[in-house]
Amino acid sequence: MAKKKGLSFYNRKKRKISPAHVKEIFSWLFGIVAAVFIAVVLNLYFGTATNVVGVSMEPTLYNGQRIYINSFLYMITSPQRGDVVVFLPNGNENTHYYVKRVVAVPGDRVWIREGVLYVNGEESPWVTEKLADAGIAASEFTVQNGEYFCIGDNPGNSEDSRSPNIGPVREEDMLGKVWFHASCEELGMGFVK
């Protein structure tokens, strides 16, 4: 009798999945999951972005400039004098983020006398412009633990720690340190010192 030609599913050899194939599949899956995890962590801690609002940080940062915030840094260390930080004044989530420079850290003595900012009895290198308004720093005081005295680089046009409604900034109200900025207007980019 002649054999019928056509499709036959019975004579087909079964393919075996080798351990090497299984290992390669899991290797690919692990790589994809690890890459997604790393991307999410990097975006959360290093890729948080906002725009500068106002002219209080000129000439360092300009109104409308896009800035990127390192939120991870202050989980392992504390803000330092000279850091440009982003915070919500008094933790108020109904306002925009403020961007200012830390000029005094916990334990520092702050005093504005005759338009000059003194930190621990010495002129601050971060504020070189005469300060018309001393605000709460008209008399010397000590910055408390967990608080930072922050002023804009353009102090004549800055609402900052001198203002009684803001005062020293609590560390828990800080979103993080500005580490990178880009300006659509200038089409330039740079790192913040």
Side-chain angles (χ1 to χ4, degrees), residues 17-25:
I17 297 177
S18 71
H21 285 108
V22 172
K23 187 177 179 180
E24 185 173 344
I25 289 169

Side-chain angles (χ1 to χ4, degrees), residues 170-184:
R170 296 183 312 230
E171 190 167 359
E172 67 233 28
D173 295 336
M174 289 185 184
L175 185 61
K177 178 181 179 179
V178 175
W179 68 278
F180 187 79
H181 64 88
S183 171
C184 295

Side-chain angles (χ1 to χ4, degrees), residues 81-83 101-103 117 123-128 152-153 193:
R81 281 183 220 97
D83 286 359
R101 187 174 301 279
V102 174
V103 295
L117 172 65
E123 287 187 33
S124 171
W126 304 109
V127 180
T128 56
D153 286 358
K193 294 180 183 177

Side-chain angles (χ1 to χ4, degrees), residues 65-86:
Q65 246 181 336
R66 189 101 173 131
I67 55 174
Y68 294 89
I69 305 153
N70 181 340
S71 300
F72 178 73
L73 181 65
Y74 293 153
M75 290 181 174
I76 58 175
T77 186
S78 295
Q80 303 295 312
R81 281 183 220 97
D83 286 359
V84 177
V85 297
V86 177

Side-chain angles (χ1 to χ4, degrees), residues 96-190:
H96 64 84
Y97 290 119
Y98 279 48
V99 182
K100 308 292 179 198
R101 187 174 301 279
V102 174
V103 295
V105 298
D108 284 348
R109 293 181 335 275
V110 176
W111 187 20
I112 298 174
R113 186 180 70 209
E114 297 175 4
V116 178
L117 172 65
Y118 293 93
V119 177
N120 298 323
E122 298 179 13
E123 287 187 33
S124 171
W126 304 109
V127 180
T128 56
E129 189 177 311
K130 286 279 187 189
L131 302 170
D133 179 23
I136 65 170
S139 357
E140 186 177 64
F141 73 95
T142 301
V143 180
Q144 301 300 308
N145 283 336
E147 295 183 340
Y148 298 84
F149 199 78
C150 302
I151 293 184
D153 286 358
N154 182 6
N157 291 303
S158 177
E159 183 181 31
D160 48 42
S161 289
R162 296 172 292 163
S163 175
N165 64 327
I166 295 177
V169 178
R170 296 183 312 230
E171 190 167 359
E172 67 233 28
D173 295 336
M174 289 185 184
L175 185 61
K177 178 181 179 179
V178 175
W179 68 278
F180 187 79
H181 64 88
S183 171
C184 295
E185 297 162 356
E186 298 171 350
L187 298 175
M189 292 185 237

